[in-house]
Amino acid sequence: MQINVLKFGGTSMADHKTWKQVLEIIQKYEWPVVVVSATARTTRQLVEAAQLASKGKLEEAFEISTSIQQRHSKIVEDFLQENPHPKNKLIKDSCDKHTAAKISKLNKLLTYTRRQKTLSPQMKDAISAIGEQISSYLLAQCGLALDMLTQHIEARKLIKTDNEYGRANPNRLLINQRCGSLETVLESGFTPIIGGFYGEAPDKTVTTLGFEGSDYTASLIGGAVGAETIEIWTDVSGVYTGDPRFITEAKPLKEMSYFDATEMAYFGAKVLHPSTLKPAQERNIPVFVKNMFKPEDPGTKIVRDSDHDLEVLALSFKKNMATVTVSAYETVMGYSFLTKVFAVLEKHRLAVDAVNTTEASVTIALSDDEILDKLSKEFIEVGTVSIEKGKGVLTLIGCSIYSADALIESVFSSLGTAETDMISFTKEKRILNLVLNENELVDVARTVHAKLFKNILL
Ligand code: ASP
Ligand code: MG
């Protein structure tokens, strides 16, 4: 059985017209397993409602939940109107019933959050997963109106995780076991439709896999069933040489390696969840990024070995960063200094984007969030601390190792008056990172992109 795992993101799930397109794409496959995101805007709205509730603004939070309910009901209504089927009344009823149940659950969680006066990570996950719980069920129902045998499968039954809310770690062994049931579903002629992004902890609470987590769900399932392909259907024609929302002349890449794609996702490109490629890579499953509005476009194929003869493969950038410099007190021995600094990062499970060290000091670039202030208190135990906020990281991925010097030179000559705080280059990983001021980041990215990709832009 050659299974294709297809994932459709928020913009693919925007309205009844795109739902139809999604279902039409699914019909082209013999053994598809489908993973969907929440409809466009829903996850963001859910989080907003949760935050309002935690600040005591329950009425405003309820308004959001009502609008989510109405929007979904309208999508289904429009869909069924355009696709008449004798079962439509039944379909509409079961959609409305399901959505009403989820919205009532949502309102209970919001009320609880208001009472607690704070939004715990656990509650945030339970609330933000509701978008996928609704969208996956409704899409499966709408498939019936096209005479498809679509079947909603609850993601909690498949995606088992630990309980690190907000960025839960999948339990691969359990997921592999649970996903066996998908083959049975397919064999009996049905197409499974699963909500992405969330799963379930051992204590049965809902967890989420992090921003853009639906990609990750798709690849976890793809890895578990040994899929032929994992296909991420989105609103752009693949992975681009630079974020096309900011760099209009960026071009989609035909092919890239798992490694480069992972680095790119990690360093700010929004097309893929950074962990997406891991399960695919383990079983050598090609991952495609395809444009659902232009399905004839080839998209990007991500495979194990992919080489290129460009100076650089792609560029990405990440905003909202900070640099933290810790300088050792004289009493701290050189060799234990770094261990102490990194122990603090480990304790808070923080990933570092770039590091520079001297014997007695270390500068790290990492995402600027609430935890930063807490961190600096702990770093004071090790040395003096200075933090600079308002930074960004520009990353060049897949740098040619043959012309690294020339590359670095052309990057620097495009910086103009922009200041660099930190530079790191790794030949082995073919990555060049620059830490810059956030307000200059996009301009620099554009100039560097124009310069490095001038040949392919012609
Ligand atoms: N709906 C979730 C988000 O916006 C997950 C996803 O779309 O991948 O992050
Ligand atoms: Mg996405």
Side-chain angles (χ1 to χ4, degrees), residues 7 37-38 43 132 197 211-215:
K7 179 259 171 175
S37 290
T43 311
E132 272 77 5
F197 178 52
F211 184 71
E212 293 290 335
S214 300
D215 297 342

Side-chain angles (χ1 to χ4, degrees), residues 1-6 22-34 148-150 182-192 227-229 231 233:
M1 188 183 275
Q2 304 249 309
I3 299 174
N4 303 100
V5 178
L6 314 175
V22 166
L23 290 164
E24 280 168 355
I25 292 173
I26 299 170
Q27 278 173 310
K28 298 197 178 112
Y29 293 80
E30 196 181 357
W31 306 110
V33 170
V34 181
M148 293 168 73
L149 292 176
T150 37
L182 292 173
E183 288 188 33
T184 323
V185 174
L186 287 164
E187 264 159 12
S188 48
F190 288 91
T191 298
E228 186 191 17
T229 60
E231 305 181 14
W233 288 82

Side-chain angles (χ1 to χ4, degrees), residues 46-106:
L46 287 165
V47 174
E48 194 190 326
Q51 277 156 353
L52 285 166
S54 71
K55 292 181 193 133
K57 298 180 183 164
L58 196 58
E59 286 310 311
E60 285 172 57
F62 283 166
E63 274 168 33
I64 293 181
S65 64
T66 307
S67 81
I68 292 174
Q69 182 168 21
Q70 287 167 348
R71 188 165 68 240
H72 285 85
S73 161
K74 178 94 171 70
I75 295 178
V76 173
E77 198 178 304
D78 292 345
F79 185 97
L80 297 177
Q81 204 159 33
E82 282 191 16
N83 299 286
H85 190 280
K87 279 205 203 133
N88 277 4
K89 169 98 186 55
L90 270 172
I91 295 174
K92 181 78 172 88
D93 286 349
S94 78
C95 286
D96 285 346
K97 214 167 122 199
H98 182 269
T99 310
K102 292 293 165 193
I103 294 293
S104 138
K105 174 87 200 271
L106 169 63

